[in-house]
Amino acid sequence: MTASRILVTLTLLAVLATVTACGRKAGLDTPYEAAVQARKDAQKAEQPVPPEPEKPVKDKKFILDPLI
């Protein structure tokens, strides 16, 4: 391989690595929040509404939680 091919390959790899790092940086939705949002979207689009999601149970403390 010639030096120009190596340079082109490295440039393409750098571009691909940069593009794959793009995205929306935000907090993750819990399954409950996602289900509520799906219901709202279905109502807005006048589609069949999924069943009402159950509220999650309160988080219980665990002895190893402080390690996280």
Side-chain angles (χ1 to χ4, degrees):
M1 289 177 75
T2 63
S4 64
R5 280 192 163 193
I6 293 173
L7 182 62
V8 169
T9 303
L10 291 176
T11 304
L12 286 175
L13 287 174
V15 168
L16 286 175
T18 303
V19 170
T20 58
C22 294
R24 188 178 118 195
K25 185 176 180 181
L28 298 175
D29 292 339
T30 63
Y32 176 74
E33 291 170 345
V36 169
Q37 186 63 41
R39 279 184 62 85
K40 289 179 184 176
D41 292 342
Q43 287 174 345
K44 192 175 186 180
E46 298 178 1
Q47 295 178 348
V49 179
E52 181 74 31
E54 296 179 18
K55 287 202 172 209
V57 293
K58 189 134 183 150
D59 191 25
K60 296 178 183 176
K61 296 290 182 184
F62 185 67
I63 194 167
L64 297 177
D65 281 346
L67 297 176
I68 296 178

